[in-house]
Amino acid sequence: MPEKAFNLVVLISGNGSNLQAIIDQVKAGTLDARICAVISNRNDAFGLERARTANIPAITIDHAEFESRESFDEALMQKIDEHRPDLVVLAGFMRILTDKFVNHYLGKLINIHPSLLPKYQGLDTHRRVLDAGDSEHGASVHYVTPELDSGPVILQAAVPVFENDKPEQLQQRVHEIEHQLYPEAIRRIISGEVMLQGQTVLYQQRPITKEETQLALDVQH
């Protein structure tokens, strides 16, 4: 009998470019997984069209229809659990999740954040990097824990910051590495190379080192 497929549910709020990168690698056979559903809190999210094009169930649960964050998260959990995911992937899902939701999927919930965590948690990271005069920026894939953008890092990659960069240019450079970084982090989880134990990421069954979280990628300037 074939092994059970590794099931992903992807949550989005917008364009879904990281979703597309994951879809492409699944289709190419370089990511041994099945995307069971794409769920958005916005009906106009273009990522839903990306899912439909790939024959993946595209579902909207509009947060505006719920009286509270808790009731929305409860409905979202119920829908996610129908698909029995091995991993829940946040790919531009612009909602702050309740502790109940996060704890329900602890160790099976990951996010990609546009900074070299723990630097620049929260929003507007590209402008903040430029304002600080940093020489490098990047993206991080991390396990989600109740404290925003503070979960342990699985993998991250850096891009250079150039003297005359605008936030939009820097964002484009970061997006380029995100589309390589996120599928690779998922691949490591699927293969069992990476897992969460308590608050510690294990890599090959031992606590991951800072060096092992770094992924060197070629960046187009």
Side-chain angles (χ1 to χ4, degrees):
M1 290 179 64
E3 289 186 16
K4 175 183 171 291
F6 193 95
N7 291 332
L8 308 178
V9 170
V10 184
L11 307 187
I12 63 166
S13 293
N15 180 50
S17 64
N18 274 307
L19 165 66
Q20 189 65 57
I22 297 165
I23 289 172
D24 290 347
Q25 292 217 18
V26 169
K27 186 175 180 181
T30 50
L31 201 54
D32 189 15
R34 182 168 74 96
I35 304 173
C36 302
V38 172
I39 304 175
S40 176
N41 64 309
R42 297 175 57 96
N43 192 48
D44 61 352
F46 182 68
L48 293 170
E49 190 57 39
R50 295 181 188 272
R52 293 185 193 105
T53 300
N55 296 313
I56 298 166
I59 300 160
T60 301
I61 304 176
D62 187 348
H63 65 272
E65 296 178 0
F66 293 83
E67 293 182 358
S68 67
R69 191 181 302 278
E70 289 75 16
S71 59
F72 170 77
D73 279 10
E74 192 68 43
L76 183 58
M77 280 192 288
Q78 288 179 15
K79 183 56 67 176
I80 291 170
D81 287 350
E82 288 176 14
H83 298 278
R84 303 187 180 209
D86 297 294
L87 191 67
V88 179
V89 178
L90 304 181
F93 189 63
M94 302 304 290
R95 296 281 300 173
I96 295 176
L97 297 162
T98 59
D99 288 2
K100 181 179 179 181
F101 182 98
V102 172
N103 288 321
H104 183 66
Y105 297 108
L106 202 60
K108 298 200 305 182
L109 180 64
I110 62 172
N111 182 48
I112 190 161
H113 182 74
S115 80
L116 296 172
L117 290 173
K119 297 180 77 172
Y120 305 112
Q121 299 166 352
L123 301 174
D124 203 20
T125 61
H126 312 300
R127 184 174 300 280
R128 289 159 64 196
V129 164
L130 292 175
D131 288 348
D134 290 0
S135 62
E136 67 173 9
H137 187 27
S140 306
V141 180
H142 64 96
Y143 282 105
V144 178
T145 57
E147 189 178 350
L148 184 67
D149 297 334
S150 296
V153 170
I154 299 165
L155 204 60
Q156 56 187 196
V159 299
V161 179
F162 300 120
E163 186 175 351
N164 296 317
D165 268 340
K166 301 290 190 293
E168 297 75 20
Q169 294 170 300
L170 198 49
Q171 180 181 46
Q172 183 57 42
R173 207 172 298 131
V174 170
H175 274 170
E176 183 185 332
I177 62 165
E178 284 183 357
H179 300 159
Q180 302 171 68
L181 184 69
Y182 217 0
E184 174 59 19
I186 294 168
R187 187 198 66 75
R188 293 185 184 195
I189 292 169
I190 292 170
S191 70
E193 286 178 74
V194 165
M195 65 185 66
L196 185 67
Q197 185 176 80
Q199 288 290 312
T200 302
V201 175
L202 300 185
Y203 177 68
Q204 297 180 346
Q205 301 187 326
R206 54 176 173 69
I208 197 167
T209 65
K210 174 72 172 176
E211 291 71 27
E212 288 165 343
T213 66
Q214 307 303 302
L215 185 66
L217 295 172
D218 290 331
V219 181
Q220 300 299 317
H221 294 171

